[in-house]
Amino acid sequence: MARVLVLTADAAEELDSMYPVFRLREGGHEAVVAAPSTRAVKLVVHDFEPGWDAYTEKPGHQLPVDLAFGQVDPEDYDALVIPGGRAPEYIRLDPDVDRIVRHFFDNGLPVGTICHGPQVPAALGLLRGRTTAAYPPLKFDMEQAGATFVDAPDVVDGAMVSCRGWPDLPEWSRAFMQVLERSSVPV
């Protein structure tokens, strides 16, 4: 069983956050949710509606949190997941998030990013020379961070697995679970 850390916060996309947590637990792994504080985070639901140029956002469920970012010892985890939504825009500025995310990249451990999730490693300079998917309007941001952007549902670059958003979660989940199981983690 792997211990997988999920970094999130308020305004994270509901499916991007809950689907991986449930899928990991279904697969026999431990999913541990970390956020800026230990109170439950307020998730949002993003949808694509006719007549809108961008996605819409509505309040979603709350997701219980196990640890605050400052309490996380990344050595205790085998993999990392960063869901999308608006949360990555501001958690990428947190010094503890920097410390945590660098650990996984520096050690070649599995990292999953969904939708806007790649904004975190991009802001930290960790996508330079890597290949990633992301929410398609982030293509320019990913390229400016030195990454090659691919518009696909399950982009695997070494131990990193990324996707464009919640519609890709079945493909992303299969790819992430395969990377997790192939990693040096005893499963």
Side-chain angles (χ1 to χ4, degrees), residues 67-170:
L67 296 168
F69 294 149
Q71 298 171 304
V72 173
D73 180 353
E75 294 280 340
D76 293 341
Y77 301 92
D78 305 303
L80 174 69
V81 173
I82 307 172
R86 287 185 293 115
E89 293 175 25
Y90 64 92
I91 70 169
R92 64 187 170 172
L93 305 174
D94 188 299
D96 284 310
V97 168
D98 182 329
R99 170 182 62 82
I100 293 163
V101 174
R102 283 185 192 283
H103 168 81
F104 290 93
F105 277 86
D106 290 349
N107 290 287
L109 298 171
V111 174
T113 61
I114 303 164
C115 195
H116 286 76
Q119 287 180 309
V120 176
L124 301 175
L126 300 172
L127 293 185
R128 187 164 314 286
R130 310 277 317 235
T131 300
T132 190
Y135 183 59
L138 295 177
K139 177 183 190 289
F140 181 74
D141 303 85
M142 297 301 107
E143 292 172 347
Q144 288 300 303
T148 299
F149 175 83
V150 177
D151 189 356
D154 55 352
V155 175
V156 178
D157 180 339
M160 186 178 80
V161 182
S162 56
C163 72
R164 300 169 295 197
W166 61 260
D168 297 337
L169 285 170

Side-chain angles (χ1 to χ4, degrees), residues 1-6 20-21 23-33 74-81 104 109-111 176-187:
M1 175 176 83
R3 292 190 80 209
V4 182
L5 184 65
V6 179
V21 167
R23 177 63 187 98
L24 286 161
R25 290 176 181 163
E26 174 193 19
H29 305 291
E30 182 182 3
V32 178
V33 177
E75 294 280 340
D76 293 341
Y77 301 92
D78 305 303
L80 174 69
V81 173
F104 290 93
L109 298 171
V111 174
F176 186 74
M177 295 301 278
Q178 289 173 355
V179 166
L180 185 60
E181 290 165 9
R182 279 195 314 257
S183 72
S184 59
V185 176
V187 291

